[in-house]
Amino acid sequence: SNAVLVERHAEPDRGGVPAWFIGMIGLEPAGGDAIVSRGWQQAARVEVISHPMFALAKLWQSALGSLGWLLLCGAVSAVLGALLLRRQLRPLDYMVEQSHAIARREFLSLPELPRTPELRRVVQAMNQMVEKLKALFTEQAERSDKLRAESYQDSLTGLANRRYFEMQLAARVSNMEEARAGYLLLLRVMDLAGLNARMGGQRTDQLLQAVGEQ
């Protein structure tokens, strides 16, 4: 007959496995049976159904272990990636310093080119721009010095011209706090037009240069 002679059942401990994990896995109970014989006759049939909680607990522990390793590997990868990215982007920081130095009229070039092809081209272009700006500023400075010299210096004798003389005289006379006794000596070459007519322009220029040297 199919009458149940002995039945035993137990509810295993969940072992900290959350309900959402159990519902997500959806593991069904698995069973098995065996025939108990007495001689040549079948005496009984034993049926065992295992509760899926044992397998769910192992799966939960394995999932926690995998999650821990993934978090650890992600943290290590993030740190290494940040260090590598910082090293690769170091030329960009130097280019920012280059731009700030240009504002201070200082010209810096990055001697060591990065290995990354994209950054290498950018650094090369930045170095070329810095060199061109340096040459341009040098040219402008030389031109400014030349114009300043032409504005305040006589081209023939190399002495200060009338404009510079008047500026210096006005500065010394107008400053009453630093007023001191002194002398003003004016030396004038008379009849330049007559000298040009009698001696010629070249000899007159030589005469003025000689007077300027004295």
Side-chain angles (χ1 to χ4, degrees):
S1 66
N2 294 326
V4 177
L5 300 178
V6 179
E7 182 178 359
R8 297 286 188 273
H9 66 86
E11 186 73 23
D13 186 19
R14 292 174 59 177
V17 181
W20 63 266
F21 185 78
I22 297 175
M24 182 179 67
I25 297 300
L27 190 63
E28 297 294 334
D33 55 10
I35 302 300
V36 179
S37 301
R38 184 172 55 188
W40 296 99
Q41 297 180 355
Q42 178 179 339
R45 186 170 65 90
V46 178
E47 184 178 1
V48 178
I49 301 177
S50 66
H51 199 282
M53 186 56 65
F54 298 103
L56 290 172
K58 291 294 184 181
L59 285 175
W60 176 247
Q61 294 176 1
S62 177
L64 290 179
S66 300
L67 179 62
W69 278 109
L70 286 175
L71 292 177
L72 179 61
C73 293
V76 173
S77 300
V79 172
L80 293 178
L83 293 176
L84 180 61
L85 185 62
R86 183 177 180 182
R87 181 178 179 182
Q88 292 295 327
L89 296 181
R90 191 176 300 170
L92 295 180
D93 297 333
Y94 191 86
M95 283 188 287
V96 172
E97 181 61 27
Q98 277 183 316
S99 62
H100 293 163
I102 291 174
R104 301 190 302 266
R105 293 199 175 186
E106 298 176 2
F107 304 96
L108 305 177
S109 295
L110 184 59
E112 183 179 355
L113 297 178
R115 297 180 180 179
T116 308
E118 292 78 6
L119 285 178
R120 179 186 292 268
R121 291 196 297 268
V122 174
V123 170
Q124 287 177 343
M126 192 71 179
N127 287 341
Q128 292 177 359
M129 185 189 70
V130 168
E131 293 298 327
K132 290 182 179 179
L133 285 176
K134 182 178 180 180
L136 179 62
F137 274 105
T138 302
E139 181 182 354
Q140 292 295 330
E142 293 176 353
R143 185 176 300 175
S144 298
D145 293 339
K146 183 179 180 181
L147 291 175
R148 187 180 301 109
E150 292 176 353
S151 299
Y152 299 111
Q153 189 178 32
D154 182 70
S155 59
L156 179 62
T157 60
L159 301 177
N161 59 15
R162 181 172 184 142
R163 179 188 301 176
Y164 185 81
F165 165 74
E166 291 178 350
M167 289 175 55
Q168 293 295 321
L169 180 62
R172 283 166 171 74
V173 172
S174 61
N175 193 352
M176 301 303 296
E177 296 179 357
E178 298 182 1
R180 286 180 287 180
Y183 298 91
L184 176 61
L185 176 62
L186 293 178
L187 177 63
R188 181 177 182 182
V189 179
M190 302 298 294
D191 193 20
L192 282 178
L195 290 176
N196 278 322
R198 293 190 301 271
M199 300 172 54
Q202 183 176 1
R203 294 188 61 188
T204 304
D205 290 343
Q206 293 175 355
L207 173 64
L208 294 176
Q209 290 174 348
V211 172
E213 291 176 0
Q214 294 298 321

